[in-house]
Amino acid sequence: MTRRFRFPVPEDDLWRWFELGEAGQVLRQITFRGPDSVPVVAAEPVEVARTRQACGEWGVRLYETVYGVPVREPVVEPPGARSVDPREFDVAWGRARSFRQCDVRHDTGPLPVGTRLTGTFTVSPWGPGLTGVFVDVGLPAAGFVDALVLLRAECEWPAEGTPAEFEVVDLRVGGGRPQIRLRPTAVPAPGEPWPRHGPS
């Protein structure tokens, strides 16, 4: 039977929420800090394991940059913990995940926002002008440039194999497959081709 509960950690000014499976394993963890209940953790151990399998410990550090560092010791429901119903937990989970993904600037960890990387445009499975383009930056996670970035620049859609310099603008981690959101630091003028040489 799945159990959900929350309890305070007064010495750290935290509230920890847990969802445990039938065998007592943690399914989801949320941690809020302070009087404003700022989400500092919204982690799912199965997702962490998938990320580790796909990208190793580097990927786990990226995950923890986005969703916080969960507790690693076994979880025992403490005396006085408050039961949480499924809907209440899901609402808190959705809020915490959204905050950690969208409202936190991920400027720590192995790949802080603002980091510059060199890479090569690879394939756009959706075709030119749609969705975006993947980028090989030589890391365990895929790079990705959103189509809107290129469409706003009115530049030529980059061909596969085109080298460029990029800036990290966001990190996405979900389903065990981290993605590095990028923007080119320079684009060709409208109607001009991308340079054939790599960045200096």
Side-chain angles (χ1 to χ4, degrees):
M1 179 178 177
T2 303
R3 292 181 293 136
R4 300 168 190 86
F5 55 88
R6 60 190 175 102
F7 59 90
V9 184
E11 61 272 21
D12 296 323
D13 201 17
L14 301 176
W15 272 90
R16 286 185 171 156
W17 298 49
F18 287 98
E19 181 179 66
L20 304 185
E22 292 183 6
Q25 76 278 21
V26 176
L27 302 179
R28 295 184 288 179
Q29 178 196 337
I30 315 166
T31 303
F32 295 105
R33 172 173 285 137
D36 295 328
S37 297
V38 176
V40 293
V41 177
E44 190 175 2
V46 168
E47 199 172 56
V48 174
R50 288 180 185 149
T51 302
R52 179 178 284 108
Q53 186 175 22
C55 300
E57 291 306 313
W58 181 90
V60 172
R61 287 167 49 219
L62 205 70
Y63 182 97
E64 291 176 347
T65 298
V66 176
Y67 291 124
V69 180
V71 297
R72 291 186 169 87
E73 64 272 12
V75 175
V76 177
E77 184 173 348
R82 301 180 189 177
S83 179
V84 176
D85 67 49
R87 184 178 184 284
E88 184 183 9
F89 195 98
D90 286 344
V91 168
W93 175 256
R95 175 181 163 246
R97 288 284 279 199
S98 176
F99 180 88
R100 294 295 310 174
Q101 180 65 73
C102 303
D103 297 329
V104 174
R105 180 178 167 84
H106 306 119
D107 52 8
T108 61
L111 202 61
V113 165
T115 299
R116 292 199 172 194
L117 303 169
T118 57
T120 305
F121 286 103
T122 57
V123 67
S124 175
W126 312 276
L130 299 174
T131 306
V133 188
F134 286 107
V135 178
D136 180 1
V137 290
L139 293 171
F144 184 78
V145 176
D146 192 279
L148 193 57
V149 172
L150 301 173
L151 294 172
R152 282 178 175 163
E154 299 181 355
C155 62
E156 179 181 285
W157 198 259
E160 186 173 353
T162 301
E165 183 186 63
F166 303 90
E167 181 182 0
V168 176
V169 295
D170 197 10
L171 303 172
R172 299 291 172 90
V173 184
R177 285 286 174 186
Q179 190 179 89
I180 307 162
R181 292 297 179 107
L182 304 166
R183 71 166 184 83
T185 57
V187 296
E192 294 294 319
W194 288 79
R196 294 296 176 187
H197 55 81
S200 58

